[in-house]
Amino acid sequence: MTKFQERIFSGVQPTGTLHLGNYLGAIKNFVELQEKYNCIYCVVDQHAITVDQNPQELRSNILEVLASFIAAGVDYQKQIIFQQSSVPAHSQLAWVFNCVSRIGWLNRMTQFKDKAGKNKENVSVGLMVYPNLMAADILAYLATHVPVGDDQKQHLELSRDIAQKFNNDFGVDFFPQPEPLIYGSATRVMSLRDGNKKMSKSDPSDFSRILLTDDDETISAKIRKAKSDSELIPNTKDALQNKPECLNLINILAATTNQSVEQVLGNYAGKEYSSLKKDLADCLVQVISPIRKEINNLLDNRDELNVILAEGTEKAAAIANPVIEEVYRIVGFK
Ligand code: TYM
């Protein structure tokens, strides 16, 4: 039994229109979790500027991510949704964590290595300390559970290390050890063009990803053109080991229809991929089409979205401010 009240926190960057990976890996789970838990979902704009952003696009993307949360089913009246930069506790705690976290830990972050590439000396300092800010996001709310896709696992481990080191350094039991919640059949949705690359907002090919704003015809065309195989669908997952694009389509269908991969294989073994693709396209249209329409409705009324953000800020700050007060006392600022 832990002394910490169970609380969910997660964040999404406003760096472009959200895609199926964001939806199946994270946002679909955000919606399910709100049945059981108190949840805080954040549009993490401070993370977005760790790489160059166009201010006008950023402003618009913040509202689009907010609209996507609501359109997907996040209940903004019962839960908290808000914008990271509007609650100063995130930056305040991030600074303390910059002084707790170790450079060696950050140097091991694979996402930093991937994003920095050969350009390590010339990327922003923000990109390097990004995981410290992420730990601050979670721990400013003493959150205990964090629903994310598989790509955030290492960052979550770092958050746990930071929480533990802070507690040890100051001889307190103040921060919980946040648990990652990585579940479902699509914790890592891959590109529709290359099954070894994850589906991402930054892939140059539009056909690599399905967006939550794609129209029905575009969704069907992207699935029709997705890379697959001329052989028939096998009946075991093992047979798909060297066919990542095929496994990806099966994982997506399983996650979208709330079935296991084994159930999907049971239904499609011996059939051609074209028949699976047809059903997958239909399922995706059924899921995405109402979300797209609602995103567009919500974006027609930006004033209302700004009111929702302001209310979220107030509720979020009411939780985070006392945490920061206590951190300042613990470290000796007060
Ligand atoms: P971001 O904005 O890149 O992605 C948002 C969420 O979508 C998940 N995701 C995927 N899941 C499955 N397959 C994919 N191809 C895929 N692509 C993205 C991500 O895992 C994530 O859950 N660092 C985070 C944002 C963040 C955060 C936080 C998350 C900032 N502070 C605190 C949790 C807690 C990020 O860049 O997510």
Side-chain angles (χ1 to χ4, degrees):
M1 205 38 205
T2 139
K3 68 169 189 158
F4 297 102
Q5 190 194 333
E6 288 187 325
R7 181 178 284 144
I8 303 275
F9 182 97
S10 196
V12 175
Q13 293 195 65
T15 43
T17 299
L18 300 188
H19 55 68
L20 189 63
N22 300 128
Y23 178 70
L24 294 177
I27 296 169
K28 184 169 185 276
N29 295 344
F30 293 1
V31 176
E32 286 165 16
L33 289 162
Q34 64 185 353
E35 300 302 323
K36 272 194 84 198
Y37 297 95
N38 291 324
C39 303
I40 305 174
Y41 299 127
C42 183
V43 184
V44 289
D45 52 356
Q46 290 175 290
H47 280 92
I49 65 160
T50 54
V51 297
D52 288 346
Q53 299 295 333
N54 169 319
Q56 211 172 331
E57 280 171 21
L58 179 60
R59 217 168 277 127
S60 160
N61 284 337
I62 290 165
L63 290 189
E64 192 175 318
V65 172
L66 181 80
S68 306
F69 283 173
I70 301 171
V74 172
D75 183 343
Y76 63 89
Q77 277 161 333
K78 284 210 192 107
Q79 310 298 345
I80 300 177
I81 51 180
F82 74 108
Q83 181 182 347
Q84 183 184 33
S85 62
S86 67
V87 178
H90 294 251
S91 321
Q92 292 170 317
L93 188 56
W95 182 257
V96 175
F97 286 171
N98 281 343
C99 304
V100 171
S101 181
R102 304 287 97 174
I103 288 182
W105 297 355
L106 295 171
N107 267 330
R108 283 196 288 276
M109 294 293 114
T110 53
Q111 200 163 81
F112 174 70
K113 287 188 222 168
D114 290 349
K115 284 198 177 168
K118 292 199 182 78
N119 206 16
K120 216 173 156 190
E121 293 295 310
N122 206 24
V123 291
S124 74
V125 175
L127 192 66
M128 181 157 207
V129 296
Y130 177 117
N132 297 343
L133 177 59
M134 191 164 152
D137 297 337
I138 299 164
L139 293 167
Y141 301 89
L142 306 179
T144 53
H145 295 84
V146 184
V148 280
D150 184 68
D151 62 337
Q152 297 300 317
K153 197 171 170 191
Q154 198 186 28
H155 289 160
L156 255 293
E157 279 158 14
L158 190 94
S159 298
R160 293 167 63 86
D161 289 343
I162 290 175
Q164 190 169 20
K165 186 165 186 300
F166 180 96
N167 286 348
N168 287 347
D169 286 355
F170 295 99
V172 290
D173 181 21
F174 185 65
F175 286 121
Q177 290 269 291
E179 296 266 354
L181 293 178
I182 302 175
Y183 67 92
S185 307
T187 55
R188 194 174 184 83
V189 177
M190 307 310 280
S191 152
L192 300 176
R193 310 300 302 163
D194 176 352
N196 293 310
K197 283 204 295 199
K198 115 185 143 166
M199 184 177 284
S200 85
K201 294 170 195 156
S202 56
D203 192 299
S205 165
D206 275 346
F207 274 79
S208 69
R209 63 184 158 256
I210 289 180
L211 300 177
L212 294 186
T213 50
D214 279 342
D215 61 36
D216 298 354
E217 186 37 49
T218 308
I219 295 172
S220 301
K222 286 180 176 175
I223 293 295
R224 217 167 34 241
K225 293 200 178 143
K227 198 166 162 199
S228 64
D229 205 79
S230 54
E231 283 176 21
L232 298 180
I233 298 174
N235 56 8
T236 64
K237 209 172 156 178
D238 282 352
L240 289 168
Q241 244 179 11
N242 296 319
K243 301 185 175 181
E245 290 85 8
C246 299
L247 180 59
N248 190 36
L249 293 175
I250 288 164
N251 283 337
I252 294 174
L253 183 60
T256 312
T257 54
N258 295 318
Q259 296 180 81
S260 67
V261 168
E262 288 69 24
Q263 280 171 312
V264 173
L265 288 172
N267 292 336
Y268 287 91
K271 294 187 183 162
E272 291 183 353
Y273 280 96
S274 56
S275 100
L276 181 134
K277 281 181 170 183
K278 193 181 166 306
D279 292 349
L280 177 57
D282 290 346
C283 284
L284 288 175
V285 165
Q286 256 187 40
V287 170
I288 293 176
S289 181
I291 296 179
R292 175 191 64 239
K293 288 178 190 148
E294 188 57 19
I295 292 175
N296 290 335
N297 282 341
L298 289 161
L299 287 174
D300 278 344
N301 196 343
R302 288 172 191 248
D303 290 347
E304 202 173 309
L305 290 175
N306 281 317
V307 171
I308 293 172
L309 277 182
E311 285 168 1
T313 299
E314 211 174 297
K315 291 196 269 179
I319 301 173
N321 289 347
V323 172
I324 276 295
E325 280 293 307
E326 189 57 18
V327 168
Y328 277 14
R329 202 194 54 73
I330 292 170
V331 303
F333 290 169
K334 289 199 167 168

